[in-house]
Amino acid sequence: MDHLIATPSLGFSEAVNKAASNILKFEGRSRQSEYWWTMVIVYLVSIALTPLAGFVLSLLTIPLTFRRLHDTGRSGWWWGGSAILQAIAIVLFIYDITMAYLNADNIHGYGDEIMWAFLLKYTVLSVLIIIYKIVLLVLYCIDSEPYENDYGESIKYIIQEDNQ
């Protein structure tokens, strides 16, 4: 009978170096420690420097996020759902603001109804985005699949064969 042995978590420098060396690699798997240590760096940089620097760094973590999802046996495109919802919200917001500006003379007397519709639309979109991000957070926290999956061999677990 075979036994699974979990290898130790990666330390800070090892995890960040591994993430940096695979910065543009979408295929394969990434361990939790590699993902979370790198995300700590991204958040600290975005707080310490500027939101723009954090945004650029978060774009560079997209392949790492794909590999983290792969490690749990899921497609990296789960990340895409959040990006799509946010893009829809931004496009709708720009459209609504533009239409309100262009039709400012025609909407007098409808201000309250338009404001409530606007608020309802963006509240629903915000709640959907938050729920989806919570689902993603749970997926990022799930332990590695112990055996080989569609995305490669386990990088956390080693199969030890019993010699009897």
Side-chain angles (χ1 to χ4, degrees):
M1 180 173 184
D2 296 338
H3 294 286
L4 285 175
I5 299 173
T7 58
S9 293
L10 301 177
F12 172 76
S13 60
E14 187 180 12
V16 173
N17 286 335
K18 189 167 178 71
S21 67
N22 293 316
I23 198 161
L24 298 176
K25 184 180 173 191
F26 281 86
E27 61 277 341
R29 296 167 66 163
S30 289
R31 293 183 61 172
Q32 288 173 322
S33 51
E34 179 183 350
Y35 177 79
W36 289 112
W37 279 121
T38 303
M39 296 313 287
V40 165
I41 294 294
V42 169
Y43 291 127
L44 290 177
V45 166
S46 66
I47 290 169
L49 296 178
T50 63
L52 180 60
F55 177 72
V56 169
L57 281 175
S58 65
L59 287 177
L60 293 173
T61 63
I62 294 170
L64 174 64
T65 303
F66 270 54
R67 292 192 316 273
R68 177 70 208 120
L69 289 166
H70 290 169
D71 195 42
T72 66
R74 287 159 185 85
S75 168
W77 289 108
W78 273 84
W79 171 88
S82 175
I84 290 168
L85 281 173
Q86 289 174 345
I88 289 170
I90 290 168
V91 168
L92 283 176
F93 184 78
I94 291 169
Y95 173 79
D96 284 344
I97 294 297
T98 303
M99 294 310 292
Y101 177 75
L102 293 175
N103 296 314
D105 295 335
N106 299 331
I107 60 174
H108 290 296
Y110 297 103
D112 287 346
E113 291 86 3
I114 291 173
M115 182 56 84
W116 282 110
F118 187 82
L119 247 142
L120 179 62
K121 182 191 307 184
Y122 292 102
T123 300
V124 169
L125 270 171
S126 297
V127 168
L128 285 174
I129 290 168
I130 290 168
I131 290 170
Y132 198 90
K133 286 192 172 273
I134 290 170
V135 168
L136 283 176
L137 179 64
V138 169
L139 294 179
Y140 300 149
C141 292
I142 291 175
D143 194 19
S144 303
E145 282 195 337
Y147 298 100
E148 182 176 356
N149 64 22
D150 293 340
Y151 308 101
E153 299 254 343
S154 175
I155 53 177
K156 178 178 180 178
Y157 293 99
I158 299 170
I159 300 172
Q160 183 180 28
E161 296 178 13
D162 286 340
N163 295 327
Q164 293 186 7

